[in-house]
């Protein structure tokens, strides 16, 4: 099993930046795809960005000009750099991992991931 622990959340001013981290343990980076999701209050969880084990990276169109995902395989850590934050970015942010190969069109679906972190809250105000 893979254990995921997110960190870096907090209160951010409108227009500010934040970098979230997701520390993965219990697996090797070459054996799973890892992704960032978020869930605003009262809304469904949505996929933001994902990195496949071969390095193929996808970012949701609505955030790709402001959010950047990266992965440090040496430390088994996934990052999400968020710039120009808006109040609508307020959400709990989760990282997730999965060991099955899936078509990129499925990477932003929560059901495509087996392991989840506990989430970190980001509030933009």
């Amino acid at each position: 099993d893979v254990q995921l622990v997110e960190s870096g959340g907090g209160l951010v001013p409108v227009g500010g930046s934040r970098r979230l981290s997701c520390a993965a343990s219990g697996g090797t980076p070459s054996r799973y795809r890892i992704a960032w999701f978020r869930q605003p209050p009262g809304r469904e969880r949505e996929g933001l960005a994902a990195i496949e084990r071969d390095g193929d990276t996808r970012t949701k169109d609505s955030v790709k000009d402001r959010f950047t995902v990266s992965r440090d395989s040496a430390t088994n850590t996934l990052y999400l750099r968020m710039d120009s934050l808006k109040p609508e970015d307020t959400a709990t942010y989760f990282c997730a991992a999965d060991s099955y190969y899936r078509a990129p069109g499925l990477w932003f679906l929560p059901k495509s991931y087996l392991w989840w972190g506990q989430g970190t809250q980001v509030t933009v105000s």
Side-chain angles (χ1 to χ4, degrees):
D1 288 357
V2 176
Q3 292 79 47
L4 304 169
V5 179
E6 303 92 338
S7 61
L11 181 63
V12 187
V14 175
S17 298
R18 200 77 171 186
R19 189 180 77 162
L20 304 182
S21 301
C22 172
S25 61
T28 55
S30 63
R31 300 179 69 176
Y32 54 85
R33 182 182 65 259
I34 196 163
W36 282 104
F37 284 76
R38 71 181 177 187
Q39 187 165 17
R43 297 177 61 182
E44 294 185 352
R45 195 167 296 190
E46 64 171 337
L48 299 172
I51 301 180
E52 185 53 276
R53 64 213 80 193
D54 63 0
D56 189 6
T57 301
R58 306 295 172 100
T59 305
K60 189 174 183 178
D61 286 346
S62 61
V63 299
K64 67 181 181 181
D65 59 339
R66 299 186 296 119
F67 290 10
T68 303
V69 63
S70 60
R71 183 176 191 170
D72 185 339
S73 295
T75 61
N76 238 357
T77 304
L78 182 73
Y79 298 100
L80 183 68
R81 168 76 181 191
M82 305 184 293
D83 297 312
S84 302
L85 284 163
K86 307 173 183 180
E88 51 263 44
D89 294 318
T90 294
T92 302
Y93 285 71
F94 300 88
C95 63
D98 188 68
S99 60
Y100 290 96
Y101 282 96
R102 302 181 193 273
L106 301 177
W107 290 3
F108 291 163
L109 298 179
K111 66 180 181 180
S112 295
Y113 294 85
L114 181 60
W115 300 292
W116 290 85
Q118 82 290 347
T120 186
Q121 176 68 33
V122 174
T123 301
V124 184
S125 178

